[in-house]
Amino acid sequence: KPLLLVVDDNKDIIFNLKILLEKRGYEVITSTSGDKALKTLSTLSNAPDMIISDIMMPNMDGYDFFNAISTHSKWNQITFLFLTAKSTPEDIRLGKMLGADDYITKPFNEEDLIASVSGKISRKRKSELINDKVKDLLTSYQIEMQPSITEEDQLPFCLLVVFWDDIEGP
């Protein structure tokens, strides 16, 4: 089951989102503010597949929470969706410019939210599957390498292998 973290200061919204998402087969954990959500994340053994967060919350708003997530090495790959009442074009543009994976305004259509969540989770799973296959392929080669540069010159270099498929993507 994909794990979702829902962050909102409105307990009714948390309750309704939890029921909606669990009914669709997701495991849901909740928090009422960004700072509490960071504490929750630090206790988890595995990062959630997605975070759904409000913006207007006490103590730490959604923007600061997103910034904390996106600059943390363990959490910066978590899919992040803003679900908020901030609905002006400028608000939406700012959320997208910050790098959120999606931005949905309240009141929201349940099917639109589920479509976004399921699509993003599916894309993430496909990407992880491709990464695992590439890692397995690269580790299966038993290649003895004779470096062409000295050991001290090797440190600033790295090998980046990128594959692209017109259907699957990267």
Side-chain angles (χ1 to χ4, degrees):
K1 274 185 169 179
L3 177 63
L4 308 179
L5 170 60
V6 175
V7 186
D8 199 304
D9 60 327
N10 185 318
K11 293 186 181 189
D12 291 332
I13 290 176
I14 284 179
F15 178 78
N16 290 325
L17 282 172
K18 187 170 174 62
I19 289 172
L20 172 69
L21 294 165
E22 286 178 344
K23 187 172 77 174
R24 301 297 178 113
Y26 298 103
E27 184 179 345
V28 179
I29 55 177
T30 64
S31 189
T32 56
S33 69
D35 56 335
K36 290 178 183 174
L38 289 175
K39 290 176 186 165
T40 299
L41 283 168
S42 67
T43 66
L44 298 175
S45 57
N46 292 321
D49 295 286
M50 176 181 271
I51 295 172
I52 301 172
S53 177
D54 190 14
I55 292 175
M56 296 180 290
M57 297 181 290
N59 303 327
M60 175 184 269
D61 69 13
Y63 294 134
D64 290 336
F65 175 55
F66 177 76
N67 185 52
I69 294 298
S70 61
T71 57
H72 192 284
S73 62
K74 186 177 176 185
W75 303 326
N76 64 7
Q77 296 300 311
I78 300 172
T79 303
F80 197 99
L81 185 151
F82 279 125
L83 180 62
T84 181
K86 292 180 73 71
S87 60
T88 69
E90 294 80 17
D91 292 327
I92 296 168
R93 194 174 306 115
L94 175 60
K96 291 178 178 182
M97 284 175 46
L98 291 173
D101 295 287
D102 209 344
Y103 192 106
I104 297 177
T105 58
K106 298 174 187 173
F108 61 93
N109 178 296
E110 290 180 4
E111 294 306 314
D112 289 341
L113 176 66
I114 295 301
S116 180
V117 170
S118 64
K120 303 231 181 304
I121 296 290
S122 175
R123 187 184 75 204
K124 182 176 181 175
R125 295 285 160 103
K126 286 178 185 175
S127 178
E128 289 171 348
L129 189 65
I130 291 168
N131 287 343
D132 290 344
K133 287 180 181 179
V134 168
K135 187 175 9 172
D136 290 346
L137 178 66
L138 291 175
T139 57
S140 69
Y141 290 114
Q142 300 289 332
I143 301 172
E144 187 175 322
M145 295 178 48
Q146 296 295 327
S148 60
I149 57 176
T150 66
E151 196 167 311
E152 63 187 36
D153 290 335
Q154 289 179 19
L155 293 177
F157 292 97
C158 69
L159 173 64
L160 173 64
V161 179
V162 179
F163 297 93
W164 182 266
D165 182 277
D166 288 335
I167 296 171
E168 295 287 339

